[in-house]
Amino acid sequence: MIIITNNPMVKEKINQACPLSFIDGSYGEVLVEVKQQIIEKHVVLLSHPLSGSIKPNETYYKTIFVTETTSQYIDIESLEYIESAIAVYEKFIKNKQRPNWSLAVLKDFAFVDFYIAQSTLDRMEVLR
């Protein structure tokens, strides 16, 4: 399993659980990186790219779990999910730009995303 995230809290606290690809960029850039890895490295989504019921324009951080495969083919279902997530992201960002959040608000967003990621790993029994 690989963690793809732009959340520094996830990078700091979960990076020993499995390989981590840290994106120094926005939520949308995380989605684009996941799509690129699905196409180029044939990874498969393990978590939904829009998990957490948080609208893309209402947070800054996103953590997505994928798994490496030995397949020589692109996982079409993963590709469709990530393309759909990118379309949703672009729609929300176009309709309502994010405000310039304070550091305290960004820390809260980081914690929420971290909590979702930690809960996902717990359910997958990765950290046990």
Side-chain angles (χ1 to χ4, degrees):
M1 176 173 38
I2 302 167
I3 301 169
I4 303 173
T5 187
N6 67 338
N7 186 339
M9 185 178 284
V10 170
K11 179 182 177 185
E12 176 187 330
K13 297 187 180 206
I14 301 182
N15 68 356
Q16 296 160 356
C18 49
L20 184 137
S21 177
F22 185 76
I23 308 305
D24 188 17
S26 69
Y27 186 126
E29 289 171 286
V30 172
L31 298 176
V32 169
E33 175 64 22
V34 171
K35 179 180 178 181
Q36 183 178 341
Q37 288 197 26
I38 289 169
I39 293 169
E40 294 176 5
K41 297 182 179 179
H42 303 165
V43 301
V44 175
L45 286 171
L46 290 176
S47 63
H48 195 285
L50 296 176
S51 62
S53 300
I54 301 170
K55 294 177 185 171
N57 62 334
E58 293 178 349
T59 189
Y60 186 79
Y61 298 109
K62 186 65 190 166
T63 299
I64 299 174
F65 299 95
V66 299
T67 189
E68 294 177 291
T69 67
T70 57
S71 175
Q72 63 187 37
Y73 303 105
I74 295 170
D75 183 67
I76 298 302
E77 187 175 25
S78 292
L79 185 59
E80 288 172 349
Y81 277 128
I82 198 67
E83 286 180 338
S84 176
I86 291 169
V88 168
Y89 172 83
E90 289 172 350
K91 176 184 136 193
F92 275 100
I93 292 300
K94 179 182 174 188
N95 292 335
K96 185 178 180 187
Q97 291 291 319
R98 282 193 203 109
N100 190 12
W101 289 310
S102 69
L103 186 56
V105 170
L106 288 173
K107 284 183 180 182
D108 288 345
F109 288 148
F111 177 78
V112 170
D113 180 67
F114 167 77
Y115 181 79
I116 292 168
Q118 182 70 49
S119 297
T120 301
L121 289 173
D122 288 346
R123 283 192 314 275
M124 289 198 262
E125 299 183 352
V126 171
L127 299 177
R128 294 182 185 188

